[in-house]
Amino acid sequence: MSEQPQQRKASFGATMKAVFWSFFGVRKGRDHAHDVANLNPVHVIVAAVVGVAIFIGVLVMLVKFAVAQ
């Protein structure tokens, strides 16, 4: 039995949206089930790295602003 890999249907934008909401910990159960079925794991990893980079960049800018005052 040869099993074909499942083709994931969600776009990278949908993946970014799901990762964005997961940063806040706000996700409905049915949305989580939909994400598990449709999101591409590679897109999730890339989106998470991009999200973390943006988050760190914003924190660094806030600290620089606070220290400069």
Side-chain angles (χ1 to χ4, degrees):
M1 290 175 117
S2 133
E3 228 178 272
Q4 296 293 330
Q6 181 182 2
Q7 183 67 20
R8 304 296 177 131
K9 301 173 218 122
S11 67
F12 186 71
T15 304
M16 285 296 292
K17 180 181 169 187
V19 169
F20 172 76
W21 284 114
S22 71
F23 274 24
F24 292 108
V26 184
R27 202 76 176 140
K28 294 180 182 174
R30 65 183 165 106
D31 290 338
H32 174 70
H34 180 265
D35 291 345
V36 169
N38 292 316
L39 293 181
N40 184 337
V42 175
H43 288 173
V44 172
I45 293 169
V46 171
V49 169
V50 169
V52 167
I54 291 170
F55 180 71
I56 291 172
V58 168
L59 285 179
V60 168
M61 286 178 19
L62 286 173
V63 168
K64 285 185 178 186
F65 178 74
V67 171
Q69 295 294 327

